Amino acid sequence: MKVFEGIRGVLIDLEGVLYVGEQVIEGAVDTIDWLSEHQIPHRFVTNTTTQSRDDLSRKMKALGFPAEPGDILSTPAAAAAYLRQQQLHSCFLAVSEAIRDEFQEFACVETAPDAVVIGDIGKDWDYDLVNHIAQMVMAGAQLVALHKGKFWQTDEGLRVDIGAFVAGIEYVTGGEARVIGKPSAAFFQAGIEALQCPAENILMIGDDIESDVAGAQRCGMKGALVRTGKFRQEQLATSEILPDAVLDSIAELPCYL
């Protein structure tokens, strides 16, 4: 495929591309080893907001992937950098306990924050929490979403993601959330800086046609979709987004590179 010509760096989604839950995608470890052996720069990117980069690194190593925390681009770290850049000093955190340390430099308050940060909190969502967040945003707090995903793949199938709650709060308040993770341009720009090569020479590999493929393409990268994880053929068939390549899995990547 001509799309792979000139590729000098690769961004790789985690869940659904390298593994699903604790199950490694067949051939994924060999592909990462191949990239390292051929000295092709690559970084792991994720919208996961329930694990720190240290936790993700430990999990990946346990599954056979040689990934250090610095090899992972995560949305919690990017969100903290955004709050810092905007000089926002206090925040209300609707995030997993596992990533709260990323925000330890900020005052975490229950009322009148400068910003409300929304991440994955699973079944902790309820009416009172949504209402409380909406009230704070209407009072002037900036709404910051670690991502705006529709759903994610689990061992039990697709599950509703936080995008449903973010969209609901936007509707109620009339405001618009600052989305930090994929498919935001800021997130992919961080990937470009990490790989230190032009966008047109970077390939993004993901299982989400909107967050991964379209987000990368809007930043000038190539976007490859894999038929693993949350991939659904009917979504590909009806989407206006055209991936630069569609692979059965990441295991095919070395054949083309």
Side-chain angles (χ1 to χ4, degrees):
M1 294 185 189
K2 289 186 176 181
V3 64
F4 293 101
E5 294 179 1
I7 295 301
R8 292 163 43 197
V10 184
L11 296 177
I12 306 164
D13 189 27
L14 296 181
E15 187 74 38
V17 177
L18 298 183
Y19 53 79
V20 174
E22 301 300 320
Q23 183 66 45
V24 176
I25 301 294
E26 185 175 356
V29 173
D30 291 339
T31 295
I32 301 307
D33 288 342
W34 186 91
L35 289 172
S36 298
E37 290 167 5
H38 288 77
Q39 299 183 335
I40 299 175
H42 55 280
R43 291 292 186 275
F44 305 105
V45 298
T46 178
N47 273 353
T48 297
T49 64
T50 58
Q51 295 173 287
S52 67
R53 284 173 294 174
D54 287 339
D55 291 336
L56 286 168
S57 174
R58 282 191 288 268
K59 174 178 180 175
M60 293 181 70
K61 288 179 179 177
L63 293 177
F65 300 100
E68 299 298 330
D71 298 327
I72 301 169
L73 302 178
S74 73
T75 52
Y82 172 76
L83 295 178
R84 195 179 308 120
Q85 292 164 1
Q86 297 298 307
Q87 298 184 4
L88 301 173
H89 304 293
S90 64
C91 56
F92 176 89
L93 296 176
V95 302
S96 166
E97 194 66 36
I99 64 169
R100 283 180 170 263
D101 282 351
E102 294 280 10
F103 303 94
Q104 59 184 340
E105 68 190 88
F106 307 98
C108 294
V109 298
E110 295 299 315
T111 58
D114 293 332
V116 174
V117 181
I118 295 179
D120 296 294
I121 56 174
K123 296 181 180 180
D124 286 343
W125 284 107
D126 59 27
Y127 173 81
D128 289 339
L129 177 59
V130 172
N131 185 61
H132 183 47
I133 290 174
Q135 295 287 345
M136 288 186 289
V137 172
M138 286 189 285
Q142 183 172 159
L143 182 61
V144 178
L146 297 189
H147 64 83
K148 203 177 179 181
K150 293 180 179 179
F151 46 74
W152 84 96
Q153 180 69 39
T154 71
D155 294 334
E156 293 79 31
L158 295 179
R159 301 195 67 174
V160 172
D161 215 334
I162 66 172
F165 299 100
V166 175
I169 293 166
E170 288 178 322
Y171 175 73
V172 170
T173 62
E176 185 174 348
R178 171 68 176 189
V179 180
I180 300 297
K182 300 175 294 178
S184 75
F187 190 84
F188 284 105
Q189 184 60 42
I192 294 171
E193 294 172 0
L195 292 174
Q196 297 185 336
C197 65
E200 60 266 26
N201 298 123
I202 296 175
L203 176 69
M204 171 68 206
I205 303 175
D207 64 336
D208 189 313
I209 195 169
E210 296 179 358
S211 292
D212 297 326
V213 174
Q217 290 176 334
R218 283 195 292 270
C219 291
M221 303 178 189
K222 301 295 192 300
L225 186 68
V226 291
R227 299 179 185 271
T228 55
K230 69 174 71 171
F231 171 85
R232 295 294 184 274
Q233 181 61 40
E234 59 271 22
Q235 186 181 25
L236 174 61
T238 59
S239 176
E240 295 181 356
I241 302 163
L242 182 63
D244 294 289
V246 180
L247 308 177
D248 285 338
S249 79
I250 195 173
E252 290 189 325
L253 184 61
C255 298
Y256 294 110
L257 287 185

